[in-house]
Amino acid sequence: MASSHSSSPVPQSNSSDAFFKKEVDTTKRFRPVQSLPDVCPKEPTGNAGNPNSLHDSPSLVADQQRWTIYHSKVNLPAALNDPRLAKRESDFFTKTWGVDFVDTEVTPSFYLPQITKEHFALYQQEITPREKVHERCKNICTSKDTFDRTLLHTHDKSRTDLEQVPKIFMKPDFALEDSLTFNAVLPWSHFSTAGGKGNHDAASSKLLQEKLSHYLDIVEVNIAHQISLRSEAFFHAMTSQHELQDYLRKTSQAVKLLREKISKIDKVMCEGSLRVLRLSLTRNNCIKAYNKLKLMATVHQTQPTVQLLLSTSEYVGALDLIATTQEVLQQELQGIHSFRHLGSQLCELEKLIDKMMIAEFSTYARNDLNRPLEDDCQILEEERLVSLVFGLLKQRKLNFYEIYGDEMINTAKNIIKQCVVNTVSQIEEIDTEVVVKLADQMRMMNFPQWFDLLKNIFSKFTIFLKRVKATLNTIRSVVFLVLDKNQKNRDLEDTLQKNSAKESMVDSEVAYLTHEGMFISDAFGDGELPAGAADSASQRNTSPNSEPCSSDSVSEPECTTDSSSSKEHTSSSVTPGGVEMMIGEDVKLTDLELVRLANNIQELLYNASDICHDRSVKFLMARAKDGFLEKLNSNEFVTLSRLMEGFILDTEQICGRKSMSLRGALQSQANRFVNRFHEERKTKLSLLLDNERWKQAEVPAEFQDLVDSVSDGRISLPEKKPTATEERKPAEFLIVEGQKYATVGTVLLLIRIILEYCQCVDNIPSITTDMLTRLSDLLKYFNSRSCQLVLGAGALQVVGLKTITTKNLALSSRCLQLIVHYIPIIRAHFEARLQPKQFSMLRHFDHITKDYHDHIAEISAKLVAIMDSLFDKLLSKYEVKAPVPSACFRNICKQMAKMHEAIYDLLPEEQTQMLFLRINASYKLHLKRQLAHLNVVNDGGPLNGLVTSDVAFYTGNLQALKGLNNLDLNMAEIWEQKR
């Protein structure tokens, strides 16, 4: 290398051989470098200790955040000399920014100073002496052009010589080992050992040898020429070799000394610490290996432990152990060759546990439902049930309740069968060897025996439903506990997310304050520091100093089965029966699935009620095949109805929902009973009416008591009193609320029949509407039939009466009035037992009341019509002459007395007065017509006097009758008014 080169491999500023370095003016201030030196700085200019000697190029360390011109990808000359353009654009800015660009004058910058010639004065003063020295040296030195021409001539001559050498020798991949290359350089094909050509081949070989020697000479001459051209530099390099060796010797000594110091530092300061670190790392690795082996030993014991748990029916614990082991195998023991088959074995074992749990639950359901049905409704082995249900939920076997439902159906069948067998075995009249079928044996029972059997079945079903309810409530409580645990977990996750968001916000605030050069205590006061920030700060302060593990607890911090492999959290919950249960987070069921399962379990309780009702209906229908239920009397059917209603209410109270099958069967039997009940009483009433002679009957004391009980506000048939009461003599009238009613025997029995209808409604509420319709029909039938017999004179042919007397008519009217009196009471009784939407049926009583009033009015009109025809017959023959009173008036007064005698004891006094007022009006009408016919006027003459005397006789006799003394007869109306 030339001695005037500006750089050296090992620069030393204090050496006498220091290279030339341009001095830097110390008065000029440069900005010191604030960062690490550049990754690729330029070589120092001779002073390695001066930091300002580094090149001011961009640094990857210092300038990575600051944009410099070196970030530019395309410079302006490249953009202006774009080779892709078809032609040089005259105006670059107009092309780039559009034709609207206006080339305006650039205003001078305020940051750039105005440069004048005075600024270059100092530079001219410094460079002028150098320029003179340069001109002087230029004249002394050889002209460069001459040197260049000589060099060019030499170069052209060398190139001409080198062109004589074949190109194959100049190739970079020249190798004589290659056969093609060898044959090209030494063409042996030209040489032949054949006879006659030996001299020629020898000449060719010699010529080839001379040619190669010539090529070698040309190359050597060119090499020597090139060495001669660079001899000065070559000799300078050889001279500098000694200096370089000195530099290398000093550098080797410095490196040796540095290595000795570093070795001492390593022994004193680093070797012990590194050994401690290596030992600590080895210890940690040993701990991990120990814990891994310990974990493997634990996992190895999984299958025996699962077998042990299954032997004690601990299905939940076995499933938890399998799940934990599977998690450990996947996370911490993955890739262990000895455990490669353990995962599949555990999966098969889990499937086996599923089958075992289902079989165990089926066995539990069978044992729970088939145990003796006593009053004890305790849950059978509640802990076992809870464990089974939780295990089934864990394995997502959500249809296990269907097994319990099937067992309920079988148990309900067995309950009825067992009750029938037990009852039949206690009845000696039934020969089980002759009558084999249970249904036939049951049909041979009388009503008390069959009723006791049905009562026993209902009581067994009630206990059965209570047991089912208790078991299903326990199952639902487990489901709800899991559902509640899921809700709590979601709430906990939401709380943790909120807390983490708060902590991240506090951490970001702390990071911002630290970046800005502030302390936390400067931003927050002692009392204003947030709790999250304080906790996180304390954790950051304590975590670096905390030990990861201790020698006393080797297996706990790093890897344990409970902490590393099982991430579930368990919570303790208590079922309604007091059984404590641990619920883990591994029951991965959604809220929708759990709610649907709880609803299905509740529906199973409803199904249990329906099953009991359906089996009871089949039992009833089996007994009703021979018309047994239709032949029951009222008391027996009412007793049966009350028993069935009580069972229905009990099941509704237990299960919380109505079952309609048994109620429908009861309603069907009730409808048949109502039809038979009504037909019997209607037939009885028809027979009574056909045999009624319409004479006043005596009222037995029991009927009076019956009426008195109705007067007290309750409609019911009184119980028979002791025999001493039966010695009371019958009364002549029936006393109802202080009024006397003369009745016939048919009406007394009709009242009793009406009360039987009302009492039947009380005993069987489901037949209220049917009974109302039937009772309405009965009352209408009595009204129409009595009208046919009395007013229509049907009794003359049916009973054989000679005539229908006024007494018969009055008695019929009074009987109708008695029935009308009870119609509002009956209406109120039915209204209290009807639904509001059924109140429209009460209109039947309004129609019946109207019909009865019309009938009573017709009877009154008939009585008046009888007297009217009598007056017409007698007064048409009336003549005004002596003696006074005339025979006509005597006969009229006699008939009026007979009428009064016939009806006075039957009808109330007010009705008698009203009836006689109507008769008197008819009498005055006929008398007035006869007087007009006889031309007798009220002129005070003899004829007028005779008529007045007869009228006075009539008035006196009529007012002399009992109860008619105050009757206003107004006899002045018999005379024509003068106009």
Side-chain angles (χ1 to χ4, degrees), residues 567-614:
K567 299 180 181 179
E568 64 184 42
H569 302 282
T570 59
S571 63
S572 177
S573 301
V574 181
T575 61
V579 178
E580 186 174 357
M581 178 179 58
M582 302 302 293
I583 301 178
E585 291 182 352
D586 54 349
V587 182
K588 303 301 182 182
L589 293 174
T590 63
D591 291 352
L592 181 61
E593 291 175 335
L594 292 173
V595 171
R596 186 184 296 115
L597 178 60
N599 293 336
N600 291 336
I601 295 172
Q602 183 63 33
E603 192 67 27
L604 188 61
L605 179 60
Y606 301 152
N607 293 340
S609 176
D610 294 338
I611 290 170
C612 293
H613 283 225
D614 293 340

Side-chain angles (χ1 to χ4, degrees), residues 325-378:
T325 305
Q326 291 277 25
E327 188 176 355
V328 170
L329 287 175
Q330 293 176 2
Q331 294 181 359
E332 300 184 18
L333 298 181
Q334 189 174 9
I336 302 297
H337 186 72
S338 59
F339 289 153
R340 63 187 183 278
H341 301 304
L342 183 59
S344 60
Q345 293 173 358
L346 292 178
C347 291
E348 293 297 328
L349 190 59
E350 189 173 359
K351 294 179 182 179
L352 177 62
I353 293 175
D354 292 346
K355 296 179 181 179
M356 293 179 63
M357 285 194 300
I358 293 176
E360 184 75 12
F361 185 78
S362 179
T363 304
Y364 175 85
R366 192 178 303 110
N367 295 336
D368 179 46
L369 296 176
N370 292 328
R371 54 184 169 145
L373 291 171
E374 301 174 354
D375 294 336
D376 183 15
C377 297
Q378 296 293 329

Side-chain angles (χ1 to χ4, degrees), residues 906-938:
L906 301 178
L907 298 179
E909 184 176 345
E910 295 80 6
Q911 294 184 19
T912 304
Q913 291 177 357
M914 293 298 298
L915 181 61
F916 273 91
L917 282 176
R918 294 178 61 186
I919 294 174
N920 181 59
S922 175
Y923 164 76
K924 289 189 292 183
L925 180 62
H926 286 283
L927 180 59
K928 182 178 181 179
R929 186 181 303 120
Q930 185 63 24
L931 289 178
H933 177 70
L934 296 176
N935 293 324
V936 179
V937 297
N938 189 12

Side-chain angles (χ1 to χ4, degrees), residues 285 405 575 723:
N285 292 335
T575 61
T723 55

Side-chain angles (χ1 to χ4, degrees), residues 770-785:
D770 292 336
M771 278 297 184
L772 189 150
T773 304
R774 302 301 194 283
L775 181 57
S776 301
D777 180 66
L778 186 71
L779 293 176
K780 290 178 181 178
Y781 175 77
F782 173 77
N783 184 38
S784 61
R785 187 61 178 161

Side-chain angles (χ1 to χ4, degrees), residues 190-191 196-205:
H190 295 283
F191 307 126
K197 294 184 180 181
N199 297 328
H200 178 72
D201 292 339
S204 298
S205 175

Side-chain angles (χ1 to χ4, degrees), residues 97-111:
W97 294 327
V99 296
D100 296 334
F101 175 77
V102 180
D103 189 7
T104 59
E105 183 180 358
V106 180
T107 59
S109 174
F110 297 102
Y111 302 101

